[in-house]
Amino acid sequence: SQKIEQNSEALNIQEGKTATLTCNYTNYSPAYLQWYRQDPGRGPVFLLLIRENEKEKRKERLKVTFDTTLKQSLFHITASQPADSATYLCALDIGQAGTALIFGKGTTLSVSS
Amino acid sequence: ETGVTQSPTHLIKTRGQQVTLRCSSQSGHNTVSWYQQALGQGPQFIFQYYREEENGRGNFPPRFSGLQFPNYSSELNVNALELDDSALYLCASSYQGPNEQYFGPGTRLTVT
Protein backbone atom coordinates (compact mmCIF):
# COMPACT_ATOMS: atom_id res chain seq x y z
CA SER A 1 0.00 0.00 0.00
CA GLN A 2 1.03 3.60 -0.44
CA LYS A 3 2.35 5.30 2.69
CA ILE A 4 3.96 8.52 3.82
CA GLU A 5 5.64 8.47 7.20
CA GLN A 6 7.12 11.36 9.10
CA ASN A 7 9.67 10.01 11.53
CA SER A 8 8.10 11.02 14.77
CA GLU A 9 4.99 12.74 15.95
CA ALA A 10 6.97 15.03 18.26
CA LEU A 11 10.50 16.39 18.34
CA ASN A 12 11.89 18.46 21.21
CA ILE A 13 15.14 20.39 20.83
CA GLN A 14 16.95 23.27 22.46
CA GLU A 15 17.22 26.70 20.95
CA GLY A 16 20.19 27.08 18.66
CA LYS A 17 20.36 23.41 17.67
CA THR A 18 19.54 21.97 14.27
CA ALA A 19 16.20 20.21 13.92
CA THR A 20 16.07 17.36 11.41
CA LEU A 21 12.70 16.00 10.33
CA THR A 22 12.30 12.92 8.15
CA CYS A 23 9.72 12.02 5.54
CA ASN A 24 9.71 8.50 4.11
CA TYR A 25 7.34 7.19 1.47
CA THR A 26 6.58 3.89 -0.20
CA ASN A 27 4.92 2.99 -3.48
CA TYR A 28 4.87 6.55 -4.77
CA SER A 29 7.03 8.13 -7.44
CA PRO A 30 6.53 11.84 -6.86
CA ALA A 31 8.03 14.34 -9.23
CA TYR A 32 7.88 17.01 -6.53
CA LEU A 33 7.87 17.15 -2.78
CA GLN A 34 6.81 20.07 -0.62
CA TRP A 35 7.14 21.03 3.04
CA TYR A 36 4.59 23.08 4.93
CA ARG A 37 4.35 24.54 8.42
CA GLN A 38 1.08 24.49 10.35
CA ASP A 39 0.35 26.36 13.56
CA PRO A 40 -2.57 25.27 15.80
CA GLY A 41 -5.95 26.23 14.38
CA ARG A 42 -4.50 27.61 11.15
CA GLY A 43 -4.00 26.45 7.59
CA PRO A 44 -0.63 25.11 6.42
CA VAL A 45 1.93 27.60 5.12
CA PHE A 46 4.23 26.68 2.23
CA LEU A 47 7.95 26.51 3.00
CA LEU A 48 9.87 24.74 0.25
CA LEU A 49 9.35 22.74 -2.94
CA ILE A 50 11.97 20.37 -4.31
CA ARG A 51 11.94 18.54 -7.64
CA GLU A 52 13.01 14.93 -8.17
CA ASN A 53 16.11 16.04 -10.09
CA GLU A 54 17.21 18.37 -7.28
CA LYS A 55 19.17 16.89 -4.43
CA GLU A 56 18.99 19.86 -2.11
CA LYS A 57 17.16 23.18 -1.70
CA ARG A 58 17.85 25.98 0.76
CA LYS A 59 15.92 28.99 2.00
CA GLU A 60 17.41 31.06 4.80
CA ARG A 61 17.72 28.67 7.80
CA LEU A 62 15.82 25.89 6.04
CA LYS A 63 17.26 23.07 3.98
CA VAL A 64 15.50 20.14 2.34
CA THR A 65 16.97 17.10 0.61
CA PHE A 66 15.19 14.64 -1.66
CA ASP A 67 16.55 11.14 -2.28
CA THR A 68 14.34 9.30 -4.77
CA THR A 69 16.40 6.11 -4.38
CA LEU A 70 15.88 5.97 -0.62
CA LYS A 71 12.37 7.44 -1.04
CA GLN A 72 13.16 9.96 1.65
CA SER A 73 13.25 13.68 2.26
CA LEU A 74 15.04 15.37 5.14
CA PHE A 75 14.05 18.82 6.38
CA HIS A 76 16.53 20.79 8.46
CA ILE A 77 16.07 23.96 10.48
CA THR A 78 19.41 25.37 11.59
CA ALA A 79 19.87 27.69 14.57
CA SER A 80 16.36 26.84 15.72
CA GLN A 81 14.29 29.37 17.66
CA PRO A 82 11.21 29.01 19.89
CA ALA A 83 9.23 30.70 17.07
CA ASP A 84 9.99 27.64 14.91
CA SER A 85 7.75 25.55 17.18
CA ALA A 86 4.94 24.21 14.97
CA THR A 87 3.82 21.11 13.08
CA TYR A 88 5.75 20.45 9.88
CA LEU A 89 4.05 18.57 7.08
CA CYS A 90 5.64 16.73 4.18
CA ALA A 91 3.55 16.55 0.99
CA LEU A 92 4.08 14.46 -2.12
CA ASP A 93 2.85 15.74 -5.44
CA ILE A 94 1.54 12.59 -7.09
CA GLY A 95 -0.87 14.05 -9.60
CA GLN A 96 -0.30 15.05 -13.15
CA ALA A 97 1.60 18.28 -12.70
CA GLY A 98 0.26 19.37 -9.40
CA THR A 99 -3.20 17.88 -9.22
CA ALA A 100 -2.88 16.10 -5.90
CA LEU A 101 -0.86 16.70 -2.75
CA ILE A 102 -0.69 13.78 -0.36
CA PHE A 103 0.33 14.83 3.15
CA GLY A 104 2.02 12.98 5.96
CA LYS A 105 0.67 13.24 9.51
CA GLY A 106 3.25 15.82 10.41
CA THR A 107 5.92 16.19 13.06
CA THR A 108 5.34 18.63 15.91
CA LEU A 109 8.54 20.47 16.71
CA SER A 110 9.03 22.16 20.08
CA VAL A 111 12.04 24.44 20.52
CA SER A 112 12.80 25.36 24.11
CA SER A 113 14.84 28.37 25.16
CA GLU B 1 -2.94 41.04 -2.60
CA THR B 2 -5.83 39.31 -0.80
CA GLY B 3 -5.16 35.93 0.76
CA VAL B 4 -7.37 32.85 0.71
CA THR B 5 -10.53 33.26 2.76
CA GLN B 6 -13.05 30.66 3.87
CA SER B 7 -16.53 30.86 5.32
CA PRO B 8 -17.95 30.08 7.72
CA THR B 9 -15.26 29.70 10.38
CA HIS B 10 -17.20 27.17 12.40
CA LEU B 11 -20.31 25.13 11.67
CA ILE B 12 -22.37 22.60 13.58
CA LYS B 13 -24.64 20.26 11.65
CA THR B 14 -26.72 17.19 12.40
CA ARG B 15 -26.10 13.79 10.85
CA GLY B 16 -27.92 13.45 7.54
CA GLN B 17 -27.92 17.17 6.77
CA GLN B 18 -26.16 18.89 3.91
CA VAL B 19 -23.49 21.60 4.15
CA THR B 20 -21.87 24.10 1.79
CA LEU B 21 -18.46 25.58 2.53
CA ARG B 22 -17.04 28.53 0.60
CA CYS B 23 -13.59 29.62 -0.44
CA SER B 24 -12.23 32.73 -2.14
CA SER B 25 -8.93 32.17 -3.92
CA GLN B 26 -5.92 34.40 -3.72
CA SER B 27 -5.96 37.00 -6.46
CA GLY B 28 -4.59 35.64 -9.75
CA HIS B 29 -4.78 31.97 -8.83
CA ASN B 30 -6.77 29.72 -11.20
CA THR B 31 -6.74 26.44 -9.27
CA VAL B 32 -8.39 25.50 -5.99
CA SER B 33 -7.93 22.33 -3.96
CA TRP B 34 -9.98 21.10 -1.01
CA TYR B 35 -8.66 19.05 1.91
CA GLN B 36 -10.15 17.40 4.98
CA GLN B 37 -8.03 17.41 8.13
CA ALA B 38 -9.06 15.28 11.08
CA LEU B 39 -7.58 16.04 14.48
CA GLY B 40 -3.94 14.93 14.71
CA GLN B 41 -3.76 14.00 11.03
CA GLY B 42 -2.37 15.62 7.93
CA PRO B 43 -4.72 17.13 5.35
CA GLN B 44 -6.38 14.59 3.04
CA PHE B 45 -6.91 15.58 -0.60
CA ILE B 46 -10.59 15.71 -1.57
CA PHE B 47 -10.45 17.22 -5.06
CA GLN B 48 -9.06 20.02 -7.19
CA TYR B 49 -10.73 22.40 -9.64
CA TYR B 50 -9.10 24.17 -12.55
CA ARG B 51 -11.04 26.43 -14.91
CA GLU B 52 -14.33 25.30 -13.37
CA GLU B 53 -13.67 21.59 -14.03
CA GLU B 54 -12.71 18.88 -11.54
CA ASN B 55 -9.04 18.19 -12.19
CA GLY B 56 -8.28 15.38 -9.76
CA ARG B 57 -10.03 13.60 -6.91
CA GLY B 58 -8.95 11.77 -3.80
CA ASN B 59 -10.59 8.80 -2.13
CA PHE B 60 -13.82 10.50 -1.12
CA PRO B 61 -17.38 9.34 -1.93
CA PRO B 62 -19.61 11.17 -4.44
CA ARG B 63 -21.53 12.89 -1.64
CA PHE B 64 -18.52 15.23 -1.55
CA SER B 65 -18.90 17.55 -4.52
CA GLY B 66 -17.62 20.93 -5.54
CA LEU B 67 -17.89 23.90 -7.81
CA GLN B 68 -15.51 26.51 -9.08
CA PHE B 69 -16.87 29.81 -10.36
CA PRO B 70 -15.54 32.08 -13.15
CA ASN B 71 -13.92 34.32 -10.54
CA TYR B 72 -12.10 31.18 -9.26
CA SER B 73 -13.95 31.12 -5.95
CA SER B 74 -15.16 27.68 -4.95
CA GLU B 75 -17.68 25.68 -2.93
CA LEU B 76 -17.46 22.31 -1.25
CA ASN B 77 -20.78 20.53 -0.75
CA VAL B 78 -21.24 17.52 1.48
CA ASN B 79 -24.53 15.62 1.46
CA ALA B 80 -25.87 13.13 3.99
CA LEU B 81 -23.42 14.19 6.67
CA GLU B 82 -21.89 11.48 8.85
CA LEU B 83 -20.26 11.83 12.26
CA ASP B 84 -16.85 11.05 10.68
CA ASP B 85 -17.18 14.12 8.48
CA SER B 86 -16.34 16.22 11.55
CA ALA B 87 -13.03 17.84 10.66
CA LEU B 88 -11.25 20.99 9.57
CA TYR B 89 -11.91 21.66 5.89
CA LEU B 90 -9.16 23.54 4.13
CA CYS B 91 -9.11 25.10 0.72
CA ALA B 92 -5.92 26.08 -1.05
CA SER B 93 -5.41 28.15 -4.17
CA SER B 94 -2.52 28.05 -6.59
CA TYR B 95 -1.50 28.43 -10.18
CA GLN B 96 -2.04 25.28 -12.22
CA GLY B 97 0.96 22.98 -12.12
CA PRO B 98 3.43 21.84 -9.47
CA ASN B 99 3.37 25.01 -7.46
CA GLU B 100 3.04 25.90 -3.82
CA GLN B 101 -0.49 26.04 -2.50
CA TYR B 102 -1.83 28.88 -0.38
CA PHE B 103 -4.19 27.67 2.29
CA GLY B 104 -7.09 29.42 3.92
CA PRO B 105 -7.71 29.30 7.67
CA GLY B 106 -10.21 26.46 7.30
CA THR B 107 -13.80 25.76 8.32
CA ARG B 108 -14.27 23.65 11.45
CA LEU B 109 -17.27 21.36 10.83
CA THR B 110 -18.82 19.44 13.70
CA VAL B 111 -21.45 16.81 12.94
CA THR B 112 -23.60 15.69 15.87
Side-chain angles (χ1 to χ4, degrees), chain A residues 31-50:
Chain A
Y32 308 87
L33 186 147
Q34 302 186 26
W35 283 87
Y36 287 78
R37 168 186 172 140
Q38 187 172 27
D39 291 287
R42 309 191 72 163
V45 174
F46 171 78
L47 296 174
L48 283 166
L49 179 153
I50 187 165

Side-chain angles (χ1 to χ4, degrees), chain A residues 21-80:
Chain A
L21 285 65
T22 304
C23 176
N24 294 296
Y25 58 92
T26 57
N27 297 328
Y28 287 117
S29 296
Y32 308 87
L33 186 147
Q34 302 186 26
W35 283 87
Y36 287 78
R37 168 186 172 140
Q38 187 172 27
D39 291 287
R42 309 191 72 163
V45 174
F46 171 78
L47 296 174
L48 283 166
L49 179 153
I50 187 165
R51 292 169 169 74
E52 62 178 341
N53 61 352
E54 297 176 314
K55 296 300 181 189
E56 183 179 296
K57 202 87 170 273
R58 290 175 186 261
K59 178 182 173 183
E60 297 171 354
R61 295 184 295 112
L62 309 181
K63 184 178 87 172
V64 63
T65 63
F66 190 12
D67 188 326
T68 55
T69 301
L70 289 179
K71 293 187 180 293
Q72 180 182 81
S73 175
L74 299 179
F75 178 79
H76 307 272
I77 305 175
T78 57
S80 59

Side-chain angles (χ1 to χ4, degrees), chain A residues 94-110:
Chain A
I94 64 166
Q96 294 177 356
T99 51
L101 279 185
I102 306 301
F103 283 86
K105 285 180 64 173
T107 296
T108 298
L109 174 67
S110 296

